[in-house]
Amino acid sequence: MKKETTKKLSLITAAAMTAAMLSACGSDDGTQTSDATPSATKETTTATMASEDAEVVDQVEVDAEKLENGKLRWLSFWALEPEEGESVDVFLQLFKTKYGGEIEYIQTTDSTKYDDLATLVLGGNSPDMFPAADLDTFPGKASAGMFQPMDDYIDYDSELFPEGAKRINDMHTIGGKHYMACVAADAGTIILYNKNTIEEHGFDDPAELAYNNEWTWSTFKQMCYDFADAEQDKYAIDGWWYELAMMLSTGVPVIGMENGEVVNNIMDPNLARVQDLFREMHNAGVNFPRAEYNWKEHPERIGEGTTLFYPVGSWQLYEPDISAFGKPGEIMFVPMPRDESADEWYLSAAGGLDAYAMCKGAPNPEAVAAFIKCKLTANTDESVKEVNDKKLRSDYGWTDEMVEMYSYVNDLTNAHPVVDFYAAVNADVYELLHNPIKDASYNGTDWYQAREERSVVVQTYIDELNEKLKAMS
């Protein structure tokens, strides 16, 4: 529920704020980019919602009053309005009809988003809202003065927040104040497969194993070894950047947040267990040899039956064409396997988060609060569940069993979500850890040597950031 308050601008001097922001902006590799101010446009689309769906949404009860100012300034590299030919999302229909909201899209790019944010904030033309699902806004960028806490406008104790989202939100606090509004901690990384390939090789269906709590590291590994045969051009695993999700299934992030402090877990033996598995499977020739294919993935091999598994972010399921993985009815997916040594089935929420940050000096925080409430209502109101599921079928071609599995994976993720903050400390920590996390899988590199070489310097950066967070508390 929105709390009435007066928004106060920071008392930091312009010079100090400029220095802090410019040190924090730029792309993840630390390079500087164009300082041109991005242009703003009102999002427009010919997309509509079917009349019967609109009637269902219209009946949804939201404790809402029309906003005095309905304009929400959204700085992002992706639009909130649907693509042409897609139906309007429930949350957007609620925002427009219940609150009189409209989206002003300030388009940026992934590599220039923080430069553009700094330019707008320092120029007194702040956006209202910024995407936080990439887990790079906090704590580094928040400590640099690019975002403001949201507690004066959002009730973080509301029952509308799922438990997983509440856990994620509570990780994003400084001095008890929240710098993120995560509305859903859904499936981050899934494993796509072709049902025909599974059946032809006599394997148990991974979906059934998952429903029976039998989809484990051991089961996954055995299937990979049984399938792979380099002489027959058959490999078990293709895809990019699934290694972190596998590591997080231990329940331990590389860089975590505990009690308002950044924590370095790089030396944790649980992470080493996963890296040992990566190296073993690489050396056994189980993985698709990306180096021999110009470091490009080949999802069509899933449809052809020559690759068994394709771990990927759940975003892949929302692509307009996933036919490379097979014909309709053949494509299926499961969560990352359960670590038998962990006390719970931990799953990475990275890539599946639906999360937002409020920009420093946001001109319309009330619109942000209204948007967040519409998101939460759309995610939790049972009366619109079928509308949401219908969109998955009609716009993205999902089957009923895919919809059912997605709900199951989301429930699992919401119960025990894990996220990593290694990309959100600073650009140096990102560069130190990004490649080593995946090198054992890609190249058979020794994780133990990599962590020994990096642990001390990573800890130095973390100590510096923790001092800033302590001062802000």
Side-chain angles (χ1 to χ4, degrees):
M1 183 180 296
K2 179 180 69 178
K3 299 178 181 178
E4 298 300 329
T5 188
T6 301
K7 172 172 61 70
K8 297 181 180 179
L9 295 176
S10 171
L11 298 178
I12 302 173
T13 65
M17 190 172 180
T18 300
M21 285 192 172
L22 291 180
S23 68
C25 67
S27 62
D28 284 330
D29 61 5
T31 58
Q32 294 299 313
T33 48
S34 170
D35 59 359
T37 303
S39 60
T41 59
K42 179 180 177 181
E43 284 199 18
T44 58
T45 179
T46 59
T48 59
M49 178 174 281
S51 58
E52 63 270 23
D53 295 338
E55 290 176 5
V56 173
V57 175
D58 188 57
Q59 297 301 313
V60 174
E61 294 184 5
V62 178
D63 181 17
E65 296 180 1
K66 294 286 185 181
L67 292 165
E68 291 184 12
N69 175 11
K71 183 189 294 182
L72 175 65
R73 289 169 52 78
W74 164 245
L75 175 65
S76 181
F77 52 95
W78 50 274
L80 291 167
E81 294 280 6
E83 298 286 341
E84 298 296 334
E86 296 181 358
S87 58
V88 174
D89 287 290
V90 171
F91 76 85
L92 198 56
Q93 184 80 354
L94 287 171
F95 184 60
K96 292 178 177 180
T97 60
K98 302 294 185 180
Y99 288 97
E102 65 179 66
I103 306 297
E104 183 180 80
Y105 180 31
I106 308 172
Q107 187 171 9
T108 182
T109 67
D110 189 27
S111 62
T112 64
K113 59 188 179 183
Y114 285 112
D115 295 297
D116 291 336
L117 176 59
T119 299
L120 290 167
V121 171
L122 293 170
N125 192 26
S126 291
D128 293 302
M129 197 169 71
F130 188 89
D134 287 342
L135 293 167
D136 56 1
T137 62
F138 184 92
K141 300 299 191 295
S143 70
M146 304 185 97
F147 302 104
Q148 66 184 52
M150 307 171 75
D151 302 73
D152 287 338
Y153 306 95
I154 295 172
D155 178 10
Y156 282 91
D157 293 324
S158 170
E159 293 182 355
L160 290 175
F161 280 104
E163 286 304 312
K166 286 184 177 181
R167 292 193 186 100
I168 302 298
N169 285 330
D170 288 345
M171 294 179 194
H172 288 73
T173 59
I174 302 174
K177 297 293 185 180
H178 294 81
Y179 284 77
M180 173 192 274
C182 173
V183 297
D186 288 343
T189 303
I190 48 99
I191 300 179
L192 280 161
Y193 65 94
N194 188 290
K195 292 165 60 178
N196 285 356
T197 304
I198 293 293
E199 184 176 348
E200 288 170 1
H201 286 78
F203 296 143
D204 292 330
D205 185 359
E208 291 302 317
L209 292 172
Y211 285 131
N212 293 326
N213 199 34
E214 296 172 349
W215 180 236
T216 63
W217 282 14
S218 297
T219 305
F220 170 72
K221 175 183 173 181
Q222 190 61 54
M223 282 189 183
C224 289
Y225 274 80
D226 289 345
F227 180 86
D229 185 344
E231 292 184 0
Q232 298 295 320
D233 190 35
K234 293 169 58 179
Y235 297 97
I237 310 171
D238 190 10
W240 282 106
W241 198 229
Y242 58 85
E243 290 79 11
L244 182 62
M246 194 76 165
M247 294 172 76
L248 296 183
S249 71
T250 67
V252 180
V254 182
I255 304 297
M257 288 290 301
E258 295 179 10
N259 302 318
E261 289 190 343
V262 187
V263 179
N264 179 8
N265 297 316
I266 191 173
M267 301 298 290
D268 192 290
N270 289 293
L271 301 181
R273 285 193 297 112
V274 193
Q275 290 290 336
D276 288 341
L277 178 60
F278 291 157
R279 192 178 189 192
E280 174 193 333
M281 295 179 75
H282 172 273
N283 292 340
V286 168
N287 300 342
F288 179 70
R290 301 175 185 87
E292 297 177 16
Y293 289 81
N294 199 27
W295 293 104
K296 291 184 178 180
E297 70 275 20
H298 284 268
E300 74 281 357
R301 290 174 56 92
I302 295 290
E304 296 167 358
T306 52
T307 298
L308 185 61
F309 292 128
Y310 195 91
V312 68
S314 57
W315 56 265
Q316 182 73 62
L317 298 171
Y318 293 91
E319 289 295 295
D321 183 10
I322 59 173
S323 60
F325 299 101
K327 299 176 182 177
E330 295 178 358
I331 305 169
M332 193 52 186
F333 63 92
V334 284
M336 296 301 287
R338 176 174 58 83
D339 174 12
E340 299 101 317
S341 298
D343 57 343
E344 300 288 353
W345 194 341
Y346 294 103
L347 289 172
S348 168
L353 288 185
D354 192 2
Y356 306 87
M358 187 182 292
C359 303
K360 191 74 172 182
N364 196 2
E366 290 83 6
V368 177
F371 177 88
I372 295 301
K373 192 166 188 178
C374 291
K375 272 282 186 175
L376 290 168
T377 302
N379 290 343
T380 58
D381 191 287
E382 285 297 323
S383 65
V384 298
K385 184 179 185 303
E386 182 52 38
V387 177
N388 289 324
D389 291 350
K390 179 180 177 182
K391 181 179 175 66
L392 297 176
R393 298 184 185 94
S394 61
D395 289 359
Y396 306 110
W398 292 23
T399 62
D400 288 344
E401 64 177 351
M402 291 172 71
V403 172
E404 181 182 358
M405 176 57 72
Y406 192 65
S407 177
Y408 178 68
V409 179
N410 286 346
D411 287 344
L412 286 176
T413 308
N414 183 64
H416 302 288
V418 188
V419 294
D420 204 291
F421 291 86
Y422 88 93
V425 176
N426 61 31
D428 292 317
V429 170
Y430 176 86
E431 287 298 323
L432 284 165
L433 297 179
H434 184 67
N435 285 328
I437 285 173
K438 59 184 188 295
D439 274 352
S441 175
Y442 291 1
N443 305 310
T445 305
D446 187 347
W447 165 255
Y448 296 90
Q449 179 180 347
R451 72 178 189 177
E452 290 288 348
E453 293 172 348
R454 290 161 173 78
S455 181
V456 173
V457 65
V458 167
Q459 187 61 50
T460 300
Y461 285 121
I462 287 175
D463 290 343
E464 292 174 356
L465 180 53
N466 279 333
E467 286 299 315
K468 291 182 181 179
L469 299 180
K470 184 178 180 180
M472 292 176 67
S473 301

